[in-house]
Amino acid sequence: MSKQMTRRDFALTNEELRLQETLFHTANGYIGVRGNFEEGYPEDFVSSRGQYINGVFDIADMKQAEQLYGFPNKKEVILNVADTQTIRLYLDGEEVTAFGQGVRELNRVLDMEKGTALRSFIWKSQKGEEVTVSYRRMTSFTLLPLFTIEVTIISHDFEGSVSIVSEHHGSAQNFVNPNDPRMAAEAEDYLSVAETRYDEEQQLSKITAVTKTSELSVQTLVFHDVSSQLELGLVEEDESVSVVYDGQLTVGATIGFVKYSLFLDSRRYDLEKDGRSFVETVRQKPLNQWYQEQEEYLDKFWRQAELSVVGDPLLNESLNYSLYSLIQSAGKDGISNIAAKGLSGEGYEGHYFWDTEIYMMPFFTLTYPEIAAKLIEFRYTILEKARENARILGHKQGALFPWRTISGAESSGYYPSGTAQYHINSDIAYSIIQYYQATGDLDCLLRFGGEIVVETSRLWLDAGHYEGKRFVLNCMTGPDEYTCVVNNNYYTNLSVQYQLNWLVKLYPLFKEQKADFLDKLQVTDQEISDYESAAAAMYLPYSEEKQIHAQDDSFLEKPVLPINELPKQDFPLLLHYHPLYLYRHQVCKQADIVLAYFLHDEAFDTEAIQRGYDYYEKLTTHDSSLSSCIFSIVANQIGDVEKAYRYFEESSKIDITNSHHNTQDGIHAANMGGTYLGLVFGFAGLRIREDSLVLIPRLPQKWTGCHFSVNYQGSQLHIGINKEEIHVSMETGAPVNLTVYDERRILSQENDWKIPYRKER
């Protein structure tokens, strides 16, 4: 099945083109380029013309109405670092654009197996002569700083002069929208061009820019490979470099033009030395060889990350796009992470949230564990800043990870739904524990994960206290951002209990392995005993009257907000209601306690989950894209497969259908991870247990089956589920424990396992 997303003969409206800038972005986890038209748009169009480097940021002022102690007044912001996209074509002096009279067969194709994005159209001159113009883009997965644009002009019946103007701009502004709190509100010039140079001998332009506050340097290098018909003409140089190639095109002939761009930053590279080296490396291979390496990388990716359903073509397109966007978005170097919008746009200013650990990292843990390990390593690199953050908030020990950040500094300006979400600590710990259970990677645990779990656990003992025999955690915010700064958020308390119990369980292993961090942190047996006691005494609020788990101490005492009676135009509520109004009501932005039912399902019986699910479902607006996928998974847990499918249908196609009407600002990366969770953890019923991988499949009526691959304990498994049987085979690796329904076996390469599908459960 071909993994492509296409748009044909689409409307050239500003709304559609801004959406396509996101959908057809190209990225590799290090650099990201929005899918802008090379030639640009008409003057009255608004475009977010962006190229980004993951982890490269500047520091902007964050104004506080009252600058109380500890409120951050600075924030980290991802940068639009340069523009190397711009290419202008002229045939006999006429500019060639997709907006010209007589343009037809305007197509875009994102090829997720080849790793390229293609745009093409047939253009007609004023004389009625036609050419086909195509632009093929690639951000390389094998040489991360490399971005290419291949331009091809094929003459149908045109004969005349050709001019190609390639522009290289070193300064760029970030996109702003003062009416949306998810976007930057004010325009700023974060970069200053320090050097612009054109090397005539190498025909290479180099622009170095420096951030104004963070003092990071960004260097972009641009050079070209052109057809024999073209000759280098005028070169203009200022804070930008424009290079012109001129030639002649004859009837039936083809002209090719390749623009190579390299992006380097001073956090990772020696700009001069590495810049020269990368240019030499790129020039040693023809473009087709780079294409081949890209395809080979993605062939391995799709074999490891295979995921499809039988019976829903649009869903398969969305699944492919989601998984491809995740591999495009994930930092792969331990220096960067996964931004809320990936590298597709500037929504949420490029910040990393808990989204990574809870929604996206499970995908990498089960398909590309080496990337998951790098995401853990990133959290370790900012652990010292997390310790500093904890001290700012008054804690004498431990570490508190920032709610939103790029390099470790808290960049959340509104603490009730930002900094107060202490659960990010237990979310990170949860992901580390899940990673260790799924991979057995002791080295990552000893080098990075263990110290994180200890330091975040110390925070809990400092932030909580005993109230009689109960251990309580007050004045925190759970996942639901319509209910803020409360006592004993159930999700947070349960997640902390899970973390502390696991630290107690891992401690003997750390001692046995003589983990360096035990001496470094001066961990004692008494300290571990204190964690065990706090976990045992953890208060988990419950309403005897309603027979449900309470979201927090006060939630069930508030009046219910009748969300079904509110006008549709009032959603999302965060854009139309004051936060305090929402805080005073029983209303949820997203899954909160329902998320606990998924992540910690072993802590509940099915009847308790059913009662809680029924209650909180009526109160949840799903104004967050992180919500519906979780409600789908838990609906599957309680056996309501068709409801699970309705939620999954809603959440799985958000970006390709633009159902939330804001994909133009960037992909919903966490929801894409949630789509993976919804299928693999939801309908396939996969769980990572301490000593086994578990499957309890439940398929919706619309599908006849699904297929996916996972990596468990270093072994590659292929799982096929239809309404007759479950077929599990091992492609590579050593034997592993697998449990399907309530039957357990040791699976090896020699013994596939086929078990009848249970239709009634």
Side-chain angles (χ1 to χ4, degrees), residues 127-170:
K127 296 178 181 178
E129 298 170 339
E130 291 188 332
V131 296
T132 294
V133 180
S134 65
Y135 303 84
R136 188 184 304 274
R137 296 177 167 212
M138 178 187 72
T139 50
S140 173
F141 284 109
T142 59
L143 187 69
L144 294 178
L146 177 62
F147 167 60
T148 66
I149 304 176
E150 180 186 17
V151 185
T152 305
I153 308 169
I154 303 173
S155 171
H156 297 194
D157 53 7
F158 174 87
E159 185 163 356
S161 66
V162 178
S163 289
I164 302 177
V165 182
S166 174
E167 300 179 13
H168 179 189
H169 303 283

Side-chain angles (χ1 to χ4, degrees), residues 30-50:
Y30 174 59
I31 57 175
V33 185
R34 280 178 66 81
N36 308 104
F37 283 13
E38 283 78 0
E39 68 271 27
Y41 306 139
E43 289 185 3
D44 57 340
F45 277 40
V46 176
S47 172
S48 177
R49 194 173 186 85

Side-chain angles (χ1 to χ4, degrees), residues 57-61 74-77 79 188 190 211 213-214:
F57 64 96
D58 201 15
I59 299 170
D61 290 331
K74 303 285 184 182
K75 63 180 177 180
E76 299 172 340
V77 180
L79 302 182
E188 289 192 42
Y190 294 110
T211 60
T213 305
S214 63

Side-chain angles (χ1 to χ4, degrees), residues 168-189:
H168 179 189
H169 303 283
S171 60
Q173 278 195 338
N174 282 26
F175 184 79
V176 299
N177 183 351
N179 299 315
D180 190 334
R182 296 162 291 196
M183 299 293 295
E186 299 175 3
E188 289 192 42
D189 292 317

